[in-house]
Short mmCIF file of all heavy atoms in Angstrom, two decimals:
data_model
loop_
_atom_site.label_atom_id
_atom_site.label_comp_id
_atom_site.label_asym_id
_atom_site.label_seq_id
_atom_site.Cartn_x
_atom_site.Cartn_y
_atom_site.Cartn_z
N VAL A 14 0.85 -1.18 0.00
CA VAL A 14 0.00 0.00 0.00
C VAL A 14 0.88 1.24 0.00
O VAL A 14 1.77 1.37 0.85
CB VAL A 14 -0.95 0.03 1.22
CG1 VAL A 14 -1.86 1.26 1.15
CG2 VAL A 14 -1.79 -1.24 1.29
N ASN A 15 0.65 2.14 -0.96
CA ASN A 15 1.45 3.35 -1.11
C ASN A 15 0.84 4.54 -0.38
O ASN A 15 -0.36 4.80 -0.51
CB ASN A 15 1.57 3.73 -2.59
CG ASN A 15 2.44 2.77 -3.38
OD1 ASN A 15 2.77 1.69 -2.92
ND2 ASN A 15 2.81 3.18 -4.58
N PHE A 16 1.70 5.27 0.36
CA PHE A 16 1.28 6.49 1.04
C PHE A 16 2.27 7.61 0.70
O PHE A 16 3.47 7.45 0.89
CB PHE A 16 1.25 6.30 2.56
CG PHE A 16 0.30 5.22 3.02
CD1 PHE A 16 0.76 3.95 3.34
CD2 PHE A 16 -1.06 5.48 3.12
CE1 PHE A 16 -0.10 2.96 3.78
CE2 PHE A 16 -1.93 4.50 3.55
CZ PHE A 16 -1.46 3.23 3.89
N ALA A 17 1.74 8.73 0.22
CA ALA A 17 2.61 9.85 -0.14
C ALA A 17 2.08 11.16 0.42
O ALA A 17 2.72 11.83 1.22
CB ALA A 17 2.76 9.94 -1.66
N THR A 18 0.88 11.54 -0.01
CA THR A 18 0.34 12.86 0.32
C THR A 18 0.24 13.09 1.82
O THR A 18 0.57 14.17 2.32
CB THR A 18 -1.05 13.04 -0.33
OG1 THR A 18 -0.93 12.82 -1.74
CG2 THR A 18 -1.58 14.44 -0.09
N GLU A 19 -0.20 12.08 2.56
CA GLU A 19 -0.37 12.25 4.01
C GLU A 19 0.97 12.50 4.71
O GLU A 19 1.02 13.24 5.71
CB GLU A 19 -1.06 11.03 4.61
CG GLU A 19 -2.55 11.01 4.35
CD GLU A 19 -3.24 9.80 4.96
OE1 GLU A 19 -3.17 8.72 4.35
OE2 GLU A 19 -3.85 9.95 6.03
N LEU A 20 2.05 11.91 4.21
CA LEU A 20 3.35 12.17 4.82
C LEU A 20 3.82 13.59 4.54
O LEU A 20 4.37 14.26 5.42
CB LEU A 20 4.39 11.16 4.30
CG LEU A 20 4.61 9.95 5.21
CD1 LEU A 20 3.38 9.05 5.20
CD2 LEU A 20 5.85 9.18 4.79
N ARG A 21 3.60 14.06 3.32
CA ARG A 21 3.98 15.44 3.00
C ARG A 21 3.20 16.41 3.87
O ARG A 21 3.75 17.40 4.39
CB ARG A 21 3.70 15.72 1.52
CG ARG A 21 4.57 14.92 0.56
CD ARG A 21 4.11 15.09 -0.87
NE ARG A 21 4.86 14.24 -1.78
CZ ARG A 21 4.37 13.72 -2.88
NH1 ARG A 21 3.11 13.96 -3.24
NH2 ARG A 21 5.11 12.97 -3.67
N ALA A 22 1.90 16.15 4.01
CA ALA A 22 1.05 17.03 4.82
C ALA A 22 1.48 17.00 6.28
O ALA A 22 1.46 18.03 6.97
CB ALA A 22 -0.41 16.61 4.68
N ALA A 23 1.86 15.83 6.78
CA ALA A 23 2.29 15.71 8.18
C ALA A 23 3.55 16.51 8.44
O ALA A 23 3.65 17.23 9.44
CB ALA A 23 2.51 14.23 8.52
N LEU A 24 4.53 16.38 7.54
CA LEU A 24 5.77 17.13 7.70
C LEU A 24 5.50 18.63 7.68
O LEU A 24 6.00 19.39 8.53
CB LEU A 24 6.75 16.76 6.59
CG LEU A 24 8.14 17.41 6.73
CD1 LEU A 24 8.95 16.70 7.80
CD2 LEU A 24 8.89 17.38 5.40
N THR A 25 4.69 19.05 6.73
CA THR A 25 4.38 20.47 6.58
C THR A 25 3.64 21.02 7.80
O THR A 25 3.89 22.14 8.24
CB THR A 25 3.55 20.70 5.31
OG1 THR A 25 4.28 20.20 4.19
CG2 THR A 25 3.27 22.18 5.10
N LYS A 26 2.74 20.22 8.36
CA LYS A 26 1.99 20.65 9.54
C LYS A 26 2.93 20.98 10.69
O LYS A 26 2.80 22.03 11.34
CB LYS A 26 1.01 19.55 9.96
CG LYS A 26 0.19 19.89 11.19
CD LYS A 26 -0.75 18.74 11.57
CE LYS A 26 -1.55 19.08 12.82
NZ LYS A 26 -2.44 17.95 13.22
N GLY A 27 3.87 20.10 10.95
CA GLY A 27 4.81 20.34 12.04
C GLY A 27 5.68 21.55 11.80
O GLY A 27 5.94 22.34 12.72
N VAL A 28 6.14 21.71 10.58
CA VAL A 28 6.99 22.85 10.24
C VAL A 28 6.22 24.16 10.42
O VAL A 28 6.73 25.14 10.99
CB VAL A 28 7.54 22.72 8.80
CG1 VAL A 28 8.22 24.01 8.37
CG2 VAL A 28 8.51 21.55 8.71
N ARG A 29 4.99 24.19 9.93
CA ARG A 29 4.18 25.40 10.06
C ARG A 29 3.94 25.77 11.52
O ARG A 29 4.00 26.95 11.89
CB ARG A 29 2.84 25.21 9.34
CG ARG A 29 2.94 25.35 7.83
CD ARG A 29 1.60 25.18 7.17
NE ARG A 29 1.68 25.44 5.74
CZ ARG A 29 0.93 24.84 4.83
NH1 ARG A 29 0.01 23.95 5.20
NH2 ARG A 29 1.06 25.13 3.55
N GLU A 30 3.65 24.77 12.32
CA GLU A 30 3.42 25.03 13.75
C GLU A 30 4.67 25.62 14.40
O GLU A 30 4.59 26.58 15.17
CB GLU A 30 2.99 23.76 14.47
CG GLU A 30 1.57 23.33 14.15
CD GLU A 30 1.13 22.12 14.96
OE1 GLU A 30 1.93 21.62 15.79
OE2 GLU A 30 -0.01 21.66 14.76
N ALA A 31 5.81 25.04 14.09
CA ALA A 31 7.06 25.51 14.69
C ALA A 31 7.39 26.94 14.26
O ALA A 31 7.87 27.75 15.06
CB ALA A 31 8.21 24.58 14.31
N LEU A 32 7.09 27.26 13.01
CA LEU A 32 7.44 28.59 12.47
C LEU A 32 6.48 29.69 12.90
O LEU A 32 6.70 30.86 12.58
CB LEU A 32 7.54 28.52 10.94
CG LEU A 32 8.74 27.72 10.42
CD1 LEU A 32 8.71 27.65 8.90
CD2 LEU A 32 10.06 28.31 10.90
N LYS A 33 5.43 29.33 13.63
CA LYS A 33 4.58 30.37 14.20
C LYS A 33 5.36 31.18 15.23
O LYS A 33 5.04 32.35 15.49
CB LYS A 33 3.35 29.74 14.86
CG LYS A 33 2.32 29.22 13.87
CD LYS A 33 1.15 28.56 14.60
CE LYS A 33 0.15 28.00 13.60
NZ LYS A 33 -0.96 27.28 14.30
N ASP A 34 6.36 30.55 15.82
CA ASP A 34 7.27 31.23 16.73
C ASP A 34 8.33 31.94 15.89
O ASP A 34 9.18 31.29 15.27
CB ASP A 34 7.91 30.22 17.68
CG ASP A 34 8.87 30.86 18.67
OD1 ASP A 34 9.21 32.05 18.51
OD2 ASP A 34 9.30 30.15 19.60
N GLU A 35 8.28 33.24 15.84
CA GLU A 35 9.20 34.00 14.99
C GLU A 35 10.65 33.87 15.44
O GLU A 35 11.57 34.25 14.70
CB GLU A 35 8.79 35.47 14.94
CG GLU A 35 7.44 35.69 14.25
CD GLU A 35 7.09 37.16 14.11
OE1 GLU A 35 7.91 38.01 14.53
OE2 GLU A 35 6.00 37.45 13.58
N GLY A 36 10.85 33.35 16.64
CA GLY A 36 12.22 33.14 17.10
C GLY A 36 12.84 31.87 16.56
O GLY A 36 14.04 31.64 16.74
N VAL A 37 12.04 31.04 15.91
CA VAL A 37 12.56 29.80 15.33
C VAL A 37 13.07 30.05 13.92
O VAL A 37 12.33 30.53 13.06
CB VAL A 37 11.46 28.71 15.30
CG1 VAL A 37 11.94 27.49 14.51
CG2 VAL A 37 11.08 28.29 16.71
N TYR A 38 14.33 29.78 13.71
CA TYR A 38 14.92 29.94 12.37
C TYR A 38 15.87 28.79 12.03
O TYR A 38 16.35 28.68 10.90
CB TYR A 38 15.68 31.27 12.27
CG TYR A 38 16.78 31.42 13.30
CD1 TYR A 38 18.06 30.92 13.06
CD2 TYR A 38 16.53 32.03 14.52
CE1 TYR A 38 19.06 31.03 14.00
CE2 TYR A 38 17.53 32.15 15.48
CZ TYR A 38 18.79 31.65 15.21
OH TYR A 38 19.79 31.76 16.17
N ASP A 39 16.13 27.93 13.00
CA ASP A 39 17.05 26.81 12.80
C ASP A 39 16.30 25.65 12.15
O ASP A 39 15.34 25.13 12.72
CB ASP A 39 17.60 26.38 14.15
CG ASP A 39 18.68 25.30 14.04
OD1 ASP A 39 18.75 24.63 12.99
OD2 ASP A 39 19.44 25.13 15.01
N PRO A 40 16.72 25.22 10.96
CA PRO A 40 16.03 24.11 10.29
C PRO A 40 15.95 22.85 11.14
O PRO A 40 15.00 22.08 11.03
CB PRO A 40 16.87 23.87 9.03
CG PRO A 40 17.51 25.19 8.76
CD PRO A 40 17.79 25.78 10.11
N LYS A 41 16.95 22.64 12.02
CA LYS A 41 16.91 21.45 12.86
C LYS A 41 15.70 21.49 13.79
O LYS A 41 15.12 20.45 14.11
CB LYS A 41 18.20 21.34 13.68
CG LYS A 41 19.45 21.10 12.85
CD LYS A 41 20.66 20.83 13.71
CE LYS A 41 21.11 22.04 14.51
NZ LYS A 41 21.56 23.17 13.67
N VAL A 42 15.32 22.67 14.21
CA VAL A 42 14.18 22.81 15.12
C VAL A 42 12.87 22.56 14.39
O VAL A 42 12.05 21.74 14.80
CB VAL A 42 14.16 24.21 15.77
CG1 VAL A 42 12.89 24.39 16.60
CG2 VAL A 42 15.40 24.41 16.63
N PHE A 43 12.66 23.27 13.27
CA PHE A 43 11.35 23.12 12.62
C PHE A 43 11.21 21.80 11.85
O PHE A 43 10.12 21.26 11.73
CB PHE A 43 10.98 24.32 11.75
CG PHE A 43 11.89 24.68 10.62
CD1 PHE A 43 11.92 23.93 9.45
CD2 PHE A 43 12.68 25.83 10.69
CE1 PHE A 43 12.73 24.29 8.38
CE2 PHE A 43 13.49 26.20 9.62
CZ PHE A 43 13.53 25.43 8.46
N MET A 44 12.33 21.23 11.38
CA MET A 44 12.21 19.94 10.72
C MET A 44 11.96 18.83 11.73
O MET A 44 11.23 17.87 11.46
CB MET A 44 13.47 19.64 9.91
CG MET A 44 13.65 20.53 8.69
SD MET A 44 12.24 20.55 7.56
CE MET A 44 12.27 18.89 6.93
N ASN A 45 12.52 18.94 12.93
CA ASN A 45 12.22 17.96 13.97
C ASN A 45 10.76 18.00 14.35
O ASN A 45 10.15 16.96 14.65
CB ASN A 45 13.09 18.21 15.21
CG ASN A 45 14.39 17.41 15.17
OD1 ASN A 45 14.42 16.29 14.68
ND2 ASN A 45 15.46 18.00 15.68
N ALA A 46 10.17 19.19 14.33
CA ALA A 46 8.73 19.31 14.62
C ALA A 46 7.93 18.57 13.55
O ALA A 46 6.94 17.89 13.86
CB ALA A 46 8.34 20.78 14.67
N GLY A 47 8.36 18.69 12.30
CA GLY A 47 7.69 17.98 11.21
C GLY A 47 7.85 16.48 11.32
O GLY A 47 6.92 15.71 11.08
N LYS A 48 9.03 16.04 11.73
CA LYS A 48 9.31 14.61 11.85
C LYS A 48 8.39 13.92 12.86
O LYS A 48 8.01 12.77 12.69
CB LYS A 48 10.78 14.38 12.23
CG LYS A 48 11.75 14.62 11.09
CD LYS A 48 13.18 14.71 11.55
CE LYS A 48 13.75 13.39 11.97
NZ LYS A 48 15.21 13.48 12.27
N LYS A 49 8.02 14.64 13.90
CA LYS A 49 7.13 14.05 14.92
C LYS A 49 5.79 13.66 14.31
O LYS A 49 5.24 12.60 14.60
CB LYS A 49 6.93 15.03 16.07
CG LYS A 49 8.18 15.25 16.91
CD LYS A 49 7.93 16.28 18.01
CE LYS A 49 9.21 16.53 18.81
NZ LYS A 49 9.01 17.58 19.84
N TYR A 50 5.26 14.53 13.45
CA TYR A 50 3.97 14.23 12.82
C TYR A 50 4.11 13.12 11.78
O TYR A 50 3.20 12.30 11.61
CB TYR A 50 3.39 15.49 12.18
CG TYR A 50 2.76 16.43 13.17
CD1 TYR A 50 3.40 17.59 13.56
CD2 TYR A 50 1.52 16.15 13.73
CE1 TYR A 50 2.83 18.46 14.49
CE2 TYR A 50 0.93 17.00 14.65
CZ TYR A 50 1.59 18.15 15.03
OH TYR A 50 1.02 19.00 15.95
N VAL A 51 5.24 13.07 11.09
CA VAL A 51 5.47 11.98 10.13
C VAL A 51 5.52 10.65 10.87
O VAL A 51 4.94 9.66 10.42
CB VAL A 51 6.77 12.22 9.33
CG1 VAL A 51 7.08 11.00 8.45
CG2 VAL A 51 6.65 13.46 8.46
N ALA A 52 6.19 10.62 12.01
CA ALA A 52 6.29 9.39 12.79
C ALA A 52 4.91 8.89 13.21
O ALA A 52 4.62 7.69 13.13
CB ALA A 52 7.15 9.62 14.03
N GLU A 53 4.04 9.81 13.62
CA GLU A 53 2.68 9.42 14.01
C GLU A 53 1.94 8.80 12.83
O GLU A 53 1.23 7.79 12.97
CB GLU A 53 1.91 10.64 14.51
CG GLU A 53 2.41 11.17 15.85
CD GLU A 53 1.69 12.45 16.26
OE1 GLU A 53 0.73 12.85 15.54
OE2 GLU A 53 2.08 13.05 17.28
N THR A 54 2.10 9.40 11.66
CA THR A 54 1.43 8.89 10.46
C THR A 54 1.95 7.50 10.09
O THR A 54 1.18 6.59 9.78
CB THR A 54 1.64 9.87 9.28
OG1 THR A 54 1.14 11.16 9.64
CG2 THR A 54 0.93 9.39 8.03
N VAL A 55 3.26 7.34 10.13
CA VAL A 55 3.86 6.06 9.78
C VAL A 55 3.41 4.96 10.74
O VAL A 55 3.05 3.85 10.32
CB VAL A 55 5.40 6.17 9.77
CG1 VAL A 55 6.06 4.79 9.65
CG2 VAL A 55 5.86 7.07 8.62
#
């Protein structure tokens, strides 16, 4: 079974949430936020 769109959406959701904090600019921070949602989906 193939899954694509839901993983992209999960990563993006986490990144968007992290970037609501204007003090966040480190990719390691906002990408880790995205990874958490991807893990839940997987």
Side-chain angles (χ1 to χ4, degrees):
V14 182
N15 289 14
F16 300 99
T18 304
E19 283 181 280
L20 264 69
R21 294 172 185 149
L24 185 76
T25 303
K26 179 181 179 181
V28 170
R29 282 182 175 148
E30 286 184 1
L32 290 177
K33 287 178 182 177
D34 180 349
E35 294 184 2
V37 171
Y38 58 86
D39 186 340
K41 294 187 292 296
V42 174
F43 60 75
M44 291 306 292
N45 268 324
K48 286 167 72 174
K49 291 178 183 177
Y50 282 104
V51 173
E53 290 176 6
T54 303
V55 170

